[in-house]
């Protein structure tokens, strides 16, 4: 007998295979008095060394530079002098090795969090480090992604960025998490790897290891207890893409289908007309010092060279809140999502933005890609105007802004008087319009992109663009949902940008509706009172 669990479809594709749960963190045993402090310090140091070596080895063997860098930073934390001194002091104060390690890492974690949002990534790294060192001290297996020796469906409460970076599509058939939302970074990384994914799936953690499940990443369904002959996964197949990369409705209306990327490697084989969102902050997320001009020019050029003659929209660093960058000044603020993030960081560190814009312009001059640039988290017309002036002075003529703040959506017509295009970031626009943290699984219903109020904001932007003949794209994760893409086109959006793996599904959906049908679906979705009714509008046309 099979059981059906429902969640949110976060990355399309289906997969069937045995489920395995991400290892639980080790539990600390009951404390005992320390009789041999020197021996206890040695035990703690030996565990820290072993963890450092293990992580460094995995960094050397990593398949891509981003993963290698994440792991190298983690390895260096295990060797950190301050941490080691703190552990020795805690042991001499009477704590056994695993307790001393846990206490000292908890202290550092609290200090990082108190320092503000910018160091949040490091805090997550410390949690992982603590679990590894404690496990080593206790002689328990290292907590890690399951390794059953055959492909499997990964079950977890949520994935730390480092876990998500290590997902191997040859081993992991699909991902199911009990927390998370459509726009959480787990979902974004899973989509980037083309892994069928269901998030916010209640009951997921009750699935016993080895139980065969079927994951439908488009419908957000997990069937528990199937018994098919063998594990399998069906992902969107990029090689099946037609040579003509232009997205079209059934009656031939052109909609540019673009890629969301963090580095050039993600463009390999991507069936896209260009790049709609190049998240440059992902290149430098583990840099302690600001990246130099030359390093930036090289990284941007790599992307531009992969898209000769095609449109590439580079987003300037979007740091702060859920995407801290260690080298950018942190605001000492209780609510980082409402603080210095995105373009606002330039209020305290204008030089970093200036250097980045010059590096983009330098890289653009030596390539044939049609480079455009846009700023994240723009709120007012004057912010947009200042950013546009900075870019144009540097020789970048085509400038846009992201619409992620409701105030900007409401003034989109005026913003279009000073920039050339808009790109709607539905992930953050949902967060700010619905006052719901984009990482919250519990509020996933509010973050549902089918919320009619979100559609109203997108409609406002699209109408502003249509009135003056300027492009308005959507680059939030919602553009990857084929049915939602039909509605966006009906609202008047001119391009859709998404993880490359999602493009074939969206292309097929657009090709089956003519523009009038898209418009009818959009009107019905706008008139709906809730997300379910809005979704149903598309299935009715
Ligand atoms: C968005 O907010 O919709 C967006 C595309 O930006 P990010 O997800 O990188 O914040
Ligand atoms: Mg955003």
């Amino acid at each position: 007998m099979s059981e059906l669990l429902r969640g949110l479809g976060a990355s399309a594709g289906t997969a069937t295979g045995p489920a395995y749960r991400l290892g639980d963190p080790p539990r600390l045993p009951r404390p005992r008095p320390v009789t041999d402090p020197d021996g206890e310090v040695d035990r703690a140091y030996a565990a820290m060394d072993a963890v450092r070596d293990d992580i460094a080895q995995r960094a050397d063997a990593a398949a891509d530079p981003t993963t290698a860098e994440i792991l190298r930073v983690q390895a260096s934390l295990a060797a950190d002098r301050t941490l080691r001194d703190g552990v020795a002091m805690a042991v001499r104060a009477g704590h056994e090795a695993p307790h001393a390690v846990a206490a000292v890492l908890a202290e550092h974690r609290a200090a990082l969090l108190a320092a503000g949002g910018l160091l949040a990534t490091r805090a997550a790294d410390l949690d992982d480090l603590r679990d590894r060192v404690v496990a080593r001290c206790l002689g328990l297996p290292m907590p890690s992604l399951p390794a059953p020796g055959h492909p499997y469906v990964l079950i977890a409460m949520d994935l730390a960025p480092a876990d998500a970076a290590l997902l191997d599509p040859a081993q992991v058939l699909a991902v199911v998490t009990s927390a998370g939302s459509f726009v959480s970074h787990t979902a974004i990384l899973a989509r980037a790897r083309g892994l069928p994914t269901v998030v916010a799936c209640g009951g997921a953690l009750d699935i016993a290891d080895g139980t065969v499940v079927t994951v439908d990443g488009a419908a957000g369904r997990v069937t528990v207890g199937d018994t098919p002959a063998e594990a399998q996964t069906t992902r969107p197949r990029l090689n099946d893409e037609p040579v003509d990369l232009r997205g079209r409705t059934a009656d031939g209306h052109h909609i540019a289908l673009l890629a969301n990327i963090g580095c050039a490697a993600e463009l390999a084989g991507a069936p896209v007309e260009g790049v709609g969102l190049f998240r440059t902050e992902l290149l430098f997320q583990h840099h302690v010092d600001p990246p130099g001009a030359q390093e930036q020019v090289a990284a941007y050029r790599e992307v531009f060279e992969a898209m000769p003659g095609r449109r590439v929209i580079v987003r300037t660093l979007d740091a702060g809140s859920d995407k801290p960058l260690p080298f950018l000044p942190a605001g000492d603020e209780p609510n980082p999502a409402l603080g210095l993030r995105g373009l606002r960081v330039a209020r305290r560190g204008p030089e970093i933005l200036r250097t980045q814009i010059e590096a983009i312009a330098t890289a653009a001059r030596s390539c044939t890609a049609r480079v455009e640039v846009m700023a994240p988290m723009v709120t007012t017309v004057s912010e947009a105007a200042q950013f546009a002036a900075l870019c144009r002075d540097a020789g970048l003529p085509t400038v846009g802004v992201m619409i992620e703040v409701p105030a900007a959506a409401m003034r989109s017509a005026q913003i279009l008087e000073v920039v050339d295009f808009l790109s709607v970031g539905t992930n953050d626009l949902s967060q700010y319009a619905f006052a719901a943290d984009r990482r919250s699984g519990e509020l996933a219903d509010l973050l549902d992109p089918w919320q009619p109020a979100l559609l109203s904001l997108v409609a406002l932007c699209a109408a502003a663009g249509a009135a003056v003949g300027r492009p308005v794209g959507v680059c939030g994760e919602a553009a990857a949902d084929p049915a939602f893409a039909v509605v966006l086109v009906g609202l008047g959006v001119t391009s859709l940008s998404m993880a490359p793996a999602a493009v074939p599904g969206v292309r097929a959906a657009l090709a089956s509706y003519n523009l009038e049908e898209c418009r009818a679906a959009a009107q019905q979705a706008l008139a709906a009172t809730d997300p379910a009714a809005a979704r149903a509008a598309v299935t009715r046309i």
Side-chain angles (χ1 to χ4, degrees), residues 28 31-45 48 81-108 137:
L28 284 171
R32 286 174 316 184
V34 172
T35 49
D36 173 12
D38 288 343
E40 244 358 68
V41 172
D42 289 348
R43 175 154 79 119
Y45 282 4
M48 291 173 92
R81 190 75 257 158
T82 321
L83 283 184
R84 292 170 84 92
D85 290 350
V87 167
M89 273 171 63
V91 168
R92 297 194 196 290
H95 298 287
E96 285 177 289
H99 295 274
V101 167
V104 170
L105 284 170
E107 242 173 62
H108 282 268
C137 283

Side-chain angles (χ1 to χ4, degrees), residues 349-431:
E351 265 323 299
I352 290 181
L353 179 62
R354 208 180 291 275
T355 306
Q356 180 174 31
I357 289 172
E358 276 161 15
I360 297 168
T362 305
R365 276 196 290 276
S366 62
C367 305
T368 60
R370 289 183 288 123
V371 176
E372 303 179 9
V373 65
M374 69 180 178
M377 280 293 290
V378 169
T379 310
T380 63
V381 179
S382 70
E383 281 180 358
Q386 281 169 29
F387 178 74
L390 212 57
C391 297
R392 290 182 184 133
D393 285 353
L396 290 162
T398 311
V399 185
V401 297
M402 289 194 71
I403 300 290
E404 301 174 283
V405 180
M410 296 172 80
R411 304 301 281 179
S412 47
Q414 288 81 357
I415 289 177
L416 276 173
E417 288 171 12
V418 298
V419 298
D420 305 293
F421 68 91
L422 303 179
S423 183
V424 184
T426 47
N427 308 340
D428 275 313
L429 191 56
S430 289
Q431 159 162 271

Side-chain angles (χ1 to χ4, degrees), residues 72-134:
R72 265 187 216 110
V73 170
Q74 235 192 345
S76 66
L77 284 177
D80 183 82
R81 190 75 257 158
T82 321
L83 283 184
R84 292 170 84 92
D85 290 350
V87 167
M89 273 171 63
V91 168
R92 297 194 196 290
H95 298 287
E96 285 177 289
H99 295 274
V101 167
V104 170
L105 284 170
E107 242 173 62
H108 282 268
R109 183 184 195 280
L112 288 183
L113 290 179
L118 273 180
L119 294 171
T121 302
R122 289 289 191 278
D125 286 351
L126 288 188
D127 287 344
D128 189 50
L129 190 62
R130 176 203 56 213
D131 292 345
R132 288 173 187 282
V133 178
V134 168

